[in-house]
Amino acid sequence: MTRTKQSSVPHQQEAQGAGIAAAGAVAASDGQEAAAILAQARTQVDPELRRAIETLPGSLRRVALYHFGWEHADGTPAAGHAGKAIRPALVLAAVRALGGTPELALRAAAAVELVHNFTLLHDDVMDRDTTRRHRPTAWTVFGEADAILAGDAIQALAQRLLAEDPHPAAREAAVRIAACVMELCEGQVTDVAMERRRPDEVTLDECLVMAEAKTGALLGCACAIGGLYAGAGEEEVAALDRFGREAGLAFQLIDDIIGIWGDPARTGKAAGADLAVRKKSLPVVAALASGTPEAAELAALYGVLEPDDAPPEEGELEAMALVVERAGGRDWAQLHAADRMSRAVHQLSRAVPEPEAADGLLSLSEFVTRRSH
């Protein structure tokens, strides 16, 4: 395995990071570049995904095809999309950034996307989410058991894709994905446990650790796998993983903002969906920890949702969102997202020697942290 040459002088790394940031500002100033990268990734990876899913047994295949938006519930073809393809795009962009051949990493990119969708199927059941990508979630259509089992099968497909991949990096990629899945599960366990605790029992630090496990881990894994498929050395792969994790935390912070203040017409989810289920999202926990009068008001409003509690009315959710904002939760999340992206850029400078080569990765990170839905 080759090792990319790195500078050992700190100020050289800082200068390189500044160069990457400047190049990224130009590259990402127009979201069209990120959109083009995502569209290309979707076009390249979808055939691999479809081939893999077509090997599933009939009942599981039907759930998976519906979840990816390729079929309606009755099995007829659908024109829906399978998501933004951020994670496979990161795999391919990382390969490209380090001078590798993206076409040789398509199976790995598809494996990462399969793992992501396994988590979505399971999360929708656990979170009781009823809509995803502007239509009913799989568990509401096919039942909880079928959705969970389809998720299990999709995760197995991810491992099989890598097991069958002749690329020399496939084995190490499979090990990384397996470790990532365990971290994802640990993060979800923590998240679920937090929902059963009172607001004043949850700290901001543990929320950030949980968010890195649930969101940052897979983005980091995607970037690291791209490095592996480009033949990068251990230090570069580790820096790419850290880049993805920091960008992932920024992504989660923005996602949590959208979960409270997002436009349902654009998100495909009900307004204030996270507030309705008393989710301990980062803006909420930051607001609760603010020490302001609004923090005490929010703690009284939030509480722990009991099974027999009536669903909150729209006016109640709007009032709750306003209290979170007045307590500084929204501003904190936005500022912290910017800080995490700054850290991500620094990590990327350690992995990619030429600023221009990082344009694709920076465009994607800019896209996920500046999106509004």
Side-chain angles (χ1 to χ4, degrees):
M1 185 174 291
T2 60
R3 182 178 295 278
T4 305
K5 183 179 179 182
Q6 281 196 345
S7 168
S8 60
V9 183
H11 77 268
Q12 289 180 330
Q13 288 188 346
E14 291 174 7
Q16 187 184 46
I20 286 181
V26 173
S29 61
D30 187 344
Q32 291 182 351
E33 178 167 353
I37 293 170
L38 291 168
Q40 182 182 22
R42 186 89 273 165
T43 299
Q44 290 179 300
V45 173
D46 271 3
E48 291 288 346
L49 288 173
R50 283 180 175 269
R51 273 193 291 270
I53 289 170
E54 286 296 337
T55 66
L56 290 172
S59 58
L60 296 174
R61 182 172 66 247
R62 183 179 174 187
V63 177
L65 289 170
Y66 173 85
H67 169 75
F68 276 94
W70 296 326
E71 283 188 1
H72 294 296
D74 62 3
T76 57
H81 61 83
K84 296 182 178 69
I86 291 167
R87 290 152 191 84
L90 284 171
V91 175
L92 302 180
V95 175
R96 194 175 293 111
L98 289 171
T101 305
E103 288 73 19
L104 298 180
L106 293 180
R107 286 188 186 180
V112 170
E113 184 70 345
L114 287 168
V115 167
H116 173 54
N117 280 275
F118 137 71
T119 68
L120 296 182
L121 281 161
H122 284 198
D123 284 358
D124 284 345
V125 174
M126 287 181 276
D127 296 342
R128 315 312 291 171
D129 284 337
T130 57
T131 58
R132 179 172 294 282
R133 297 167 185 159
H134 303 277
R135 64 178 187 164
T137 46
W139 74 269
T140 67
V141 175
F142 300 99
E144 294 181 24
D146 283 5
I148 291 169
L149 292 168
D152 293 339
I154 286 173
Q155 187 206 155
L157 279 181
Q159 289 293 342
R160 193 179 76 186
L161 278 181
L162 292 173
E164 295 174 348
D165 190 352
H167 196 284
R171 181 182 180 280
E172 193 171 348
V175 172
R176 275 193 171 267
I177 279 192
C180 181
V181 168
M182 287 185 276
E183 189 174 355
L184 290 168
C185 291
E186 181 184 23
Q188 181 65 8
V189 166
T190 302
D191 192 19
V192 171
M194 283 182 179
E195 299 311 304
R196 297 194 292 265
R197 291 157 59 186
R198 296 197 315 270
D200 60 351
E201 295 176 334
V202 177
T203 69
L204 202 47
D205 284 345
E206 64 182 328
C207 280
L208 287 168
V209 171
M210 179 270 292
E212 179 174 338
K214 281 196 63 177
T215 305
L218 188 54
L219 292 181
C221 183
C223 295
I225 286 174
L228 290 172
Y229 272 70
E234 291 180 10
E235 292 181 12
E236 291 85 356
V237 170
L240 283 169
D241 181 83
R242 197 67 246 167
F243 161 75
R245 285 173 178 270
E246 296 289 1
L249 270 173
F251 175 97
Q252 186 60 56
L253 284 155
I254 298 302
D255 200 59
D256 283 353
I257 291 171
I258 292 168
I260 298 174
W261 295 282
D263 178 1
R266 304 183 72 183
T267 66
K269 293 187 176 184
D274 287 355
L275 297 176
V277 296
R278 303 297 191 272
K279 185 177 179 64
K280 307 296 193 303
S281 65
L282 287 160
V284 168
V285 177
L288 289 166
S290 67
T292 62
E294 289 82 3
E297 183 181 354
L298 180 61
L301 285 170
Y302 224 61
V304 176
L305 197 64
E306 300 296 338
D308 56 349
D309 285 348
E313 296 180 1
E314 185 176 343
E316 293 178 87
L317 295 177
E318 290 176 356
M320 215 178 290
L322 184 59
V323 174
V324 174
E325 187 161 8
R326 286 178 174 171
R330 187 173 190 169
D331 287 344
W332 178 88
Q334 290 172 331
L335 288 171
H336 204 71
D339 175 63
R340 289 293 176 170
M341 273 311 303
S342 177
R343 299 185 195 190
V345 169
H346 173 68
Q347 292 297 329
L348 186 56
S349 73
R350 299 174 56 205
V352 183
E354 296 298 330
E356 295 79 8
D359 282 356
L361 287 168
L362 283 164
S363 293
L364 290 172
S365 63
E366 179 82 358
F367 171 81
V368 301
T369 55
R370 291 191 181 275
R371 65 203 178 100
S372 59
H373 63 284

